[in-house]
Amino acid sequence: MPYRLVAVLFAVWYPVLIPAARGQSGETHDHATETIAVPEVPDTGPRADTDRVAAAIVDRTNEFRKKEGRPPVAANAELTETARYFAGYMAKEDKYGHTADGNRPADRAKEHGYEYCIVLENIAYAFDSRGFPADELTGTFVTGWKESPGHRKNMLDPDVTETGVAVARSETTGHYYAVQMFGRPKSAAIEFRIDNRSGAEFGYTIGEEKFTLPPRYVRTHTRCRPAEVKFRWPGDKPEPTTVKPTAGDRLVVTRDGGEFRVKAD
């Protein structure tokens, strides 16, 4: 009787540069490692071209992102090499988990030369004793990730710009291991300045972080993700001013009479 395991999936999120909570999977899943046993029924059918599957995953992910109103992600050589290493490691050792090799996804990306601002990772494995044609294996991984909330969130992350995908097959167990990485390089970090020319100290928040800025001071912020800046003014003005800066903006705060104003310079 044929033995078929469609797919087992994990997702993980490793943002950098700014403090943030762990992402789509819990702490236990992030660090759990599973050893994959030899199945009772070996795979005797066709074997998928793993390079073809990896390329198709990139194409189908970008189709999914386009459908959901997200910009496409470009294949990145360093992320691809990172994914290729880790898929190969899991296939050789038949160990499965984001830290199966003792490292985090972000650590592996850095070791392979990717200077990152954001790193996300989806992984999965699949087995079918009847074998896996390339198109079917591609669909197994992509559909599984799309239907899992954490993996879907990684696939549709609006702030990542690059990807790297690899698939490897274990010669011992016949399982296919897939690694899908997403990244935003450090060079794409969003840097902006706030320049207080108002003559008064004011406060502002970026996400959950709170700041104050004395008069005649300029502060530079570097963020991995676009974020709104909410200015809170001294005195009786009840309504804060919210601005969403872009890379290179200089937000100049002035005061005309009792009214504070923010202008991107």
Side-chain angles (χ1 to χ4, degrees), residues 11-141:
V12 72
W13 177 36
Y14 283 103
V16 204
L17 289 186
I18 54 175
R22 283 228 192 261
Q24 283 75 10
S25 58
E27 191 77 11
T28 301
H29 284 175
D30 284 356
H31 297 278
T33 298
E34 179 182 355
T35 300
I36 308 303
V38 178
E40 294 182 5
V41 181
D43 60 329
T44 57
R47 296 183 179 180
D49 181 332
T50 54
D51 289 341
R52 177 182 167 188
V53 174
I57 288 173
V58 174
D59 291 341
R60 289 188 58 173
T61 297
N62 275 329
E63 291 171 5
F64 180 43
R65 287 176 65 88
K66 181 179 180 180
K67 180 181 177 182
E68 298 296 324
R70 305 293 195 273
V73 286
N76 173 272
E78 289 80 15
L79 285 179
T80 300
E81 190 59 31
T82 305
R84 187 175 293 122
Y85 153 74
F86 193 46
Y89 176 90
M90 289 193 290
K92 181 180 178 181
E93 302 295 333
D94 278 305
K95 291 183 178 179
Y96 178 73
H98 288 291
T99 57
D101 66 343
N103 296 306
R104 301 182 311 153
D107 297 330
R108 290 190 291 271
K110 188 172 183 178
E111 287 176 2
H112 286 84
Y114 190 68
E115 295 295 328
Y116 59 85
C117 197
I118 298 172
V119 168
L120 314 177
E121 182 181 87
N122 288 340
I123 60 175
Y125 68 79
F127 175 84
D128 192 330
S129 61
R130 297 168 298 183
F132 260 125
D135 291 345
E136 184 178 341
L137 185 58
T138 300
T140 294
F141 288 138

Side-chain angles (χ1 to χ4, degrees), residues 26-256:
E27 191 77 11
T28 301
H29 284 175
D30 284 356
H31 297 278
T33 298
E34 179 182 355
T35 300
I36 308 303
V38 178
E40 294 182 5
V41 181
D43 60 329
T44 57
R47 296 183 179 180
D49 181 332
T50 54
D51 289 341
R52 177 182 167 188
V53 174
I57 288 173
V58 174
D59 291 341
R60 289 188 58 173
T61 297
N62 275 329
E63 291 171 5
F64 180 43
R65 287 176 65 88
K66 181 179 180 180
K67 180 181 177 182
E68 298 296 324
R70 305 293 195 273
V73 286
N76 173 272
E78 289 80 15
L79 285 179
T80 300
E81 190 59 31
T82 305
R84 187 175 293 122
Y85 153 74
F86 193 46
Y89 176 90
M90 289 193 290
K92 181 180 178 181
E93 302 295 333
D94 278 305
K95 291 183 178 179
Y96 178 73
H98 288 291
T99 57
D101 66 343
N103 296 306
R104 301 182 311 153
D107 297 330
R108 290 190 291 271
K110 188 172 183 178
E111 287 176 2
H112 286 84
Y114 190 68
E115 295 295 328
Y116 59 85
C117 197
I118 298 172
V119 168
L120 314 177
E121 182 181 87
N122 288 340
I123 60 175
Y125 68 79
F127 175 84
D128 192 330
S129 61
R130 297 168 298 183
F132 260 125
D135 291 345
E136 184 178 341
L137 185 58
T138 300
T140 294
F141 288 138
V142 172
T143 301
W145 285 330
K146 286 168 63 175
E147 292 179 352
S148 168
H151 302 83
R152 182 185 182 94
K153 187 173 182 178
N154 282 352
M155 294 174 81
L156 295 178
D157 190 290
D159 301 322
V160 297
T161 59
E162 299 173 326
T163 190
V165 178
V167 179
R169 179 184 177 277
S170 167
E171 294 298 329
T172 303
T173 67
H175 286 74
Y176 289 89
Y177 295 86
V179 178
Q180 180 183 51
M181 302 195 73
F182 298 98
R184 183 185 185 96
K186 193 174 181 179
S187 60
I190 301 164
E191 182 179 285
F192 61 93
R193 293 173 174 81
I194 299 177
D195 184 350
N196 185 358
R197 303 181 189 175
S198 70
E201 182 175 284
F202 57 81
Y204 61 96
T205 58
I206 305 176
E208 296 181 356
E209 296 180 82
K210 297 180 180 180
F211 305 88
T212 57
L213 192 65
R216 298 183 298 279
Y217 274 70
V218 178
R219 180 177 291 132
T220 300
H221 291 276
T222 302
R223 314 290 292 189
C224 287
R225 297 179 181 274
E228 290 184 339
V229 181
K230 183 175 288 187
F231 293 91
R232 300 188 181 278
W233 311 117
D236 298 328
K237 186 171 182 178
E239 294 298 325
T241 301
T242 301
V243 178
K244 191 170 186 177
T246 57
D249 277 357
R250 187 182 187 97
L251 303 180
V252 179
V253 178
T254 59
R255 184 170 56 170
D256 184 5

